[in-house]
Amino acid sequence: MTSDQFEYDAIGVIRTPFESPEGMPIQSAGTDATGTVELAESYAAGLQDLAEFSHCILLYHFHASDDDVSLTVEPFLDEAERGLFATRAPQRPNPIGLSVVEIDTVTDREITVNGVDVVDGTPLLDIKPFVPQFDAPDDVDAGWLETSQSAVTEKRADDRFC
């Protein structure tokens, strides 16, 4: 059975030092900020064995992004208009975000993470362990970003996607 609409329930919330998108790091690789992933009690058992991994992938809902979606955007790391799907811009047809973060501790129903780059209170949709053999192919091209990658650690978000 197929459907054009899907509904997801948050499994928790991501707590961070960032009150709004403006001024936030633009990628998790660009920050050492610490955050806490708080799961709903009903999902706590799912954290078993996660502490054995150094990193995890957080999938979340971009709740603080504007709903006005354009298929071309000027990304934070470039001055040219790019196709939306060739960027990591937060305004998407389906406002789903992804961050790879370092796991510091896992206790009860909380994960303390480093390298968090999301707005405080972000609804969490899923957590997956980061596995280099699955998630980091050896021979990769980064397209137009090849010339901008060094700026990711210094660049901060402005108001263009708020």
Side-chain angles (χ1 to χ4, degrees):
M1 210 179 202
T2 62
S3 173
D4 289 341
Q5 293 190 352
F6 305 92
E7 187 174 308
Y8 294 97
D9 293 321
I11 64 169
V13 65
I14 304 170
R15 297 291 176 197
T16 76
F18 308 111
E19 294 180 13
S20 74
E22 195 170 344
M24 263 184 14
I26 60 168
Q27 292 296 317
S28 57
T31 182
D32 60 359
T34 298
T36 303
V37 178
E38 301 173 354
L39 263 64
E41 186 65 41
S42 58
Y43 295 102
L47 293 178
Q48 181 179 330
D49 304 314
L50 185 64
E52 297 176 22
F53 293 85
S54 66
H55 291 74
C56 65
I57 300 167
L58 303 178
L59 297 169
Y60 48 86
H61 176 75
F62 279 125
H63 73 293
S65 290
D66 190 343
D67 291 338
D68 186 25
V69 177
S70 174
L71 295 179
T72 58
V73 298
E74 183 182 313
F76 294 125
L77 293 175
D78 202 14
E79 295 178 4
E81 287 280 319
R82 302 289 180 175
L84 176 67
F85 301 125
T87 75
R88 296 282 186 103
Q91 289 173 317
R92 324 266 329 157
N94 293 304
I96 299 170
L98 171 148
S99 294
V100 176
V101 294
E102 181 181 11
I103 298 170
D104 185 31
T105 60
V106 179
T107 57
D108 299 323
R109 57 186 194 96
E110 291 188 357
I111 311 165
T112 302
V113 298
N114 297 311
V116 69
D117 64 336
V118 300
V119 175
D120 185 52
T122 294
L124 179 68
L125 300 176
D126 201 1
I127 303 167
K128 298 181 183 292
F130 180 86
V131 181
Q133 298 89 328
F134 303 164
D135 302 319
D138 293 328
D139 189 18
V140 178
D141 291 320
W144 64 268
L145 278 164
E146 291 286 345
T147 59
S148 314
Q149 286 190 345
S150 64
V152 73
T153 57
E154 291 86 34
K155 194 73 170 178
R156 294 294 180 256
D158 54 32
D159 64 352
R160 76 183 83 183
F161 298 113
C162 298

